[in-house]
Amino acid sequence: MEELDGEPAVTVIPGVNSKKNQMCFDWGPGEMLVCETSFSKKEKSEMVPSCPFIYIIRKDVDVYSQILRKLFNESHGIFLGLQRIDEELTGKSRKSHGRQFSSQVRGVTFVVLASLCPHQFIEVGWSLLPAGHLLLHLLDWVRLHVCEVDSLSADVLGSENPSNHDSFWNLGLGGMTSHGWSLPYTFATNPHLESLLKIMLGDEAALLEQKELLSNWYHFLVTRLLYSNPTVKPIDLHYYAQSSLDLFLGGESSPEPLDNILLAAFEFDIHQVIKECSIALSNWWFVAHLTDLLDHCKLLQSHNLYFGSNMREFLLLEYASGLFAHPSLWQLGVDYFDYCPKLGRVSLELHIERIPLNTEQKALKVLRICEQRQMTEQVRSICKILAMKAVRNNRLGSALSWSIRAKDAAFATLVSDRFLRDYCERGCFSDLDLIDNLGPAMMLSDRLTFLGKYREFHRMYGEKRFADAASLLLSLMTSGIAPRSFWMTLLTDALPLLEQKQVIFSAEQTYELMQCLEDLTSRRPVRGESDIQQLQDEDIETTKVEMLRLALARNLARAIIREGSLEGS
């Protein structure tokens, strides 16, 4: 890592030489792809990349931490609670509720991060603290951050003779500086007790002599205030903070990013706190929730950024985008996008399209989110993806259901053709319940209409409603709804009706069937040399045509005689 002054750290990718070769990169919603190109920065060189790898650089990798995942889930509930009561709050009630929600966030943070090293997180909330209890809050804060005293105490007190332990006096001094312990004012000649008394009198030199027992400058700050100015006012904190930092470091080292954050907090410079945290912290959780809380309490004078969003919304958008990089935390990100009035919906649409639909259960969850927000295009896209997956797995019923839900006429036609092809191969329909209950959905495409009507023909035939079945069959052919490739199947279905004892097709209907047969046979392509299978298929077709012509001729004769006798009577 290479640190730039006032800028985020630079991540160096092992094996990649950006000074020698040009780099190629592409941004994604939560990561970036980086690789070397074939173009060298030198004029005469071979066009071969020296590092033939593609690197995936992820941001917000903290979302994969099991401990932080609990933090994200708990703070999400607090965030939603704050948004839902915001409209009811005005004036003082806003600040009152702001302190309440601030306490909830701090409580969740302490519980969740108790197993982490305390130095890995910070708490900045001075503007929301009651002034009279400032030092008590500072003591609680430094106790949380300085865990050495507790471990040292357990070590010393657990020994056989604590008073003779090598760290006994270190424990006394360290305990005073972080807990405000008091010891008897006896044995003044003892140098250790003398140091304790000087510290209690606020002697900064004596306190600095114990510098090795103080883990950091703000540990020194709180101890200094405890014994020199316990009634310090918030407005004076920045003076003590800066001087404590200077005294503690003594010019031997430079302030770290956390130091800059705390100095800005002690100065009540909210915007600088947010800026420093955005640079130093590895994710957007803290700044997003802090900014949102301050904005609801009307403590943040925000301004619109050049791309149309204010600071609160920008940080919430960044945080939500990071959540979408996680396979399950993306659901939390949806709610954060919902409460970004300007760019939230657009961002949600872009991110939700990139969620991998690994299972149907996950797809249904994403679909429900889109439908609740009237995201029509995303609903269609998801349904189409699921329909395509179902077709690849030969689950035609599911594919047809998804294509209908997507209102995709082209895909519904494709799936209907698959149903018809399966019928021709197997002689029966699959997913009858779905086809029988298409209802108005069959009007989505002509092929789907034909599928539904053709199934209705079979149902009528099974119910022995031969006249209705015959009329429907003929109308499917003459109306042009039936694909020409399926005409032979329909004509073959007419054979049992033509052979019934009772005349089903009238003379006029028979003429129409004969015309359909002639149109079909006259437009057959002339084939060249054929293999044995093709010849056998052609023989079968020829036999069908001859049977149909014979059956149609017989039925026409019977229909003419029947209709003539009816007219004569």
Side-chain angles (χ1 to χ4, degrees):
M1 302 294 288
E2 180 182 341
E3 194 73 26
L4 298 177
D5 187 22
E7 295 292 334
V10 175
T11 301
V12 179
I13 305 175
V16 173
N17 188 351
S18 60
K19 296 181 179 179
K20 181 179 178 183
N21 287 68
Q22 292 184 6
M23 306 303 298
C24 171
F25 67 92
D26 186 33
W27 289 103
E31 59 195 18
M32 180 174 65
L33 299 180
V34 179
C35 64
E36 287 188 3
T37 68
S38 298
F39 301 98
S40 174
K41 292 187 176 180
K42 297 180 180 179
E43 293 184 1
K44 296 181 180 180
S45 61
E46 296 182 1
M47 302 279 285
V48 179
S50 60
C51 183
F53 298 103
I54 295 178
Y55 293 88
I56 301 177
I57 302 176
R58 289 191 174 95
K59 67 174 183 178
D60 296 327
V61 292
D62 289 342
V63 298
Y64 294 95
S65 166
Q66 290 295 325
I67 296 176
L68 293 183
R69 180 177 177 178
K70 184 178 180 181
L71 173 65
F72 297 151
N73 278 296
E74 294 291 339
S75 57
H76 166 258
I78 298 172
F79 171 82
L80 289 182
L82 179 59
Q83 313 308 309
R84 288 166 183 166
I85 69 167
D86 181 58
E87 295 180 357
E88 306 171 5
L89 302 180
T90 55
K92 294 183 179 180
S93 60
R94 280 183 177 273
K95 292 187 178 181
S96 174
H97 281 83
R99 284 193 291 269
Q100 176 186 343
F101 281 101
S102 177
S103 299
Q104 292 179 21
V105 174
R106 289 200 302 270
V108 168
T109 305
F110 296 158
V111 171
V112 172
L113 301 185
S115 58
L116 292 177
C117 176
H119 299 288
Q120 293 186 14
F121 69 97
I122 62 171
E123 178 197 3
V124 182
W126 313 119
S127 58
L128 300 176
L129 297 179
H133 303 287
L134 177 58
L135 189 59
L136 295 178
H137 284 289
L138 288 173
L139 282 170
D140 289 338
W141 174 64
V142 81
R143 282 195 195 105
L144 179 67
H145 285 70
V146 180
C147 53
E148 291 86 350
V149 173
D150 293 331
S151 59
L152 188 62
S153 174
D155 185 32
V156 172
L157 297 180
S159 63
E160 293 183 0
N161 193 347
S163 62
N164 292 330
H165 194 281
D166 293 340
S167 301
F168 175 75
W169 288 106
N170 287 345
L171 173 63
L173 291 167
M176 280 190 62
T177 56
S178 60
H179 291 268
W181 290 354
S182 60
L183 294 174
Y185 295 94
T186 57
F187 306 107
T189 57
N190 190 311
H192 295 297
L193 284 178
E194 184 179 7
S195 295
L196 292 175
L197 291 173
K198 286 182 178 180
I199 291 173
M200 294 176 67
L201 291 172
D203 190 324
E204 292 182 357
L207 186 58
L208 284 173
E209 288 177 0
Q210 311 300 327
K211 181 178 177 180
E212 68 277 2
L213 299 178
L214 301 171
S215 56
N216 47 56
W217 68 267
Y218 46 90
H219 188 181
F220 171 66
L221 165 67
V222 176
T223 304
R224 178 187 177 192
L225 290 175
L226 177 64
Y227 295 112
S228 64
N229 191 1
T231 59
V232 63
K233 297 180 179 180
I235 197 172
D236 297 325
L237 271 178
H238 71 94
Y239 163 74
Y240 285 100
Q242 186 64 59
S243 61
S244 296
L245 175 64
D246 295 339
L247 286 170
F248 192 83
L249 297 182
E252 299 176 0
S253 58
S254 301
E256 297 182 356
L258 176 59
D259 300 331
N260 296 328
I261 295 172
L262 292 175
L263 287 176
F266 287 128
E267 292 180 8
F268 300 100
D269 190 340
I270 295 174
H271 286 87
Q272 189 64 25
V273 169
I274 295 171
K275 178 182 177 181
E276 296 290 347
C277 288
S278 300
I279 294 173
L281 302 182
S282 58
N283 64 74
W284 298 98
W285 173 84
F286 178 76
V287 288
H289 288 86
L290 173 64
T291 306
D292 176 66
L293 183 61
L294 294 172
D295 183 75
H296 282 288
C297 295
K298 303 301 181 185
L299 295 172
L300 182 68
Q301 294 180 351
S302 186
H303 57 278
N304 288 335
L305 305 178
Y306 69 92
F307 45 80
S309 175
N310 59 29
M311 185 181 295
R312 170 193 173 272
E313 180 163 322
F314 169 75
L315 294 173
L316 287 177
L317 290 173
E318 289 296 319
Y319 176 59
S321 298
L323 293 176
F324 264 80
H326 193 275
S328 61
L329 290 179
W330 64 268
Q331 299 172 73
L332 307 183
V334 172
D335 291 321
Y336 287 95
F337 280 137
D338 282 344
Y339 288 101
C340 294
K342 292 187 178 179
L343 300 177
R345 182 179 178 87
V346 175
S347 300
L348 178 59
E349 290 174 352
L350 292 174
H351 281 80
I352 212 160
E353 290 175 349
R354 294 177 171 88
I355 296 176
L357 305 178
N358 305 322
T359 64
E360 190 162 321
Q361 181 182 4
K362 187 175 182 180
L364 289 171
K365 190 175 294 184
V366 176
L367 192 62
R368 185 165 56 251
I369 289 172
C370 293
E371 288 177 337
Q372 289 171 349
R373 291 158 179 80
Q374 289 82 47
M375 297 165 62
T376 309
E377 289 302 317
Q378 285 68 32
V379 169
R380 291 188 62 183
S381 176
I382 293 169
C383 290
K384 190 169 183 178
I385 290 171
L386 295 173
M388 293 176 70
K389 285 185 177 181
V391 166
R392 285 196 294 268
N393 295 323
N394 204 33
R395 295 167 53 231
L396 297 183
S398 178
L400 183 59
S401 177
W402 285 120
S403 61
I404 292 172
R405 193 166 180 177
K407 295 181 174 59
D408 191 321
F411 206 82
T413 298
L414 184 148
V415 178
S416 300
D417 282 336
R418 286 285 300 270
F419 265 105
L420 296 172
R421 191 170 67 194
D422 278 8
Y423 172 79
C424 292
E425 294 173 356
R426 299 165 51 193
C428 62
F429 282 113
S430 59
D431 300 284
L432 286 179
D433 288 342
L434 175 63
I435 301 175
D436 286 342
N437 294 283
L438 285 174
M442 73 169 64
M443 305 305 294
L444 181 62
S445 74
D446 287 347
R447 199 60 45 85
L448 185 57
T449 302
F450 170 72
L451 177 64
K453 291 296 182 181
Y454 185 55
R455 167 57 190 159
E456 187 177 344
F457 159 76
H458 279 278
R459 190 166 60 249
M460 290 177 176
Y461 186 88
E463 296 170 355
K464 299 187 182 304
R465 296 162 54 192
F466 298 134
D468 293 336
S471 298
L472 179 57
L473 184 69
L474 184 60
S475 68
L476 291 176
M477 299 180 69
T478 57
S479 64
I481 293 179
R484 185 170 290 275
S485 60
F486 210 75
W487 277 21
M488 183 55 73
T489 302
L490 294 176
L491 289 168
T492 304
D493 287 335
L495 271 175
L497 295 173
L498 293 169
E499 298 295 339
Q500 290 289 325
K501 292 182 178 180
Q502 181 184 359
V503 177
I504 305 298
F505 289 102
S506 66
E508 183 181 356
Q509 290 176 324
T510 307
Y511 278 124
E512 289 182 295
L513 287 174
M514 294 173 76
Q515 185 61 50
C516 290
L517 179 59
E518 292 306 315
D519 289 345
L520 182 62
T521 55
S522 64
R523 296 187 183 182
R524 283 185 178 177
V526 178
R527 297 181 180 273
E529 294 183 2
S530 304
D531 57 23
I532 296 176
Q533 183 62 45
Q534 287 179 335
L535 291 172
Q536 289 176 348
D537 291 342
E538 288 179 1
D539 288 342
I540 293 173
E541 290 295 306
T542 301
T543 303
K544 286 183 179 179
V545 170
E546 291 175 354
M547 291 175 61
L548 281 168
R549 283 176 175 160
L550 180 59
L552 286 167
R554 282 202 301 256
N555 189 81
L556 179 59
R558 294 166 58 200
I560 291 174
I561 293 171
R562 179 175 177 274
E563 291 172 9
S565 62
L566 289 175
E567 290 178 2
S569 62

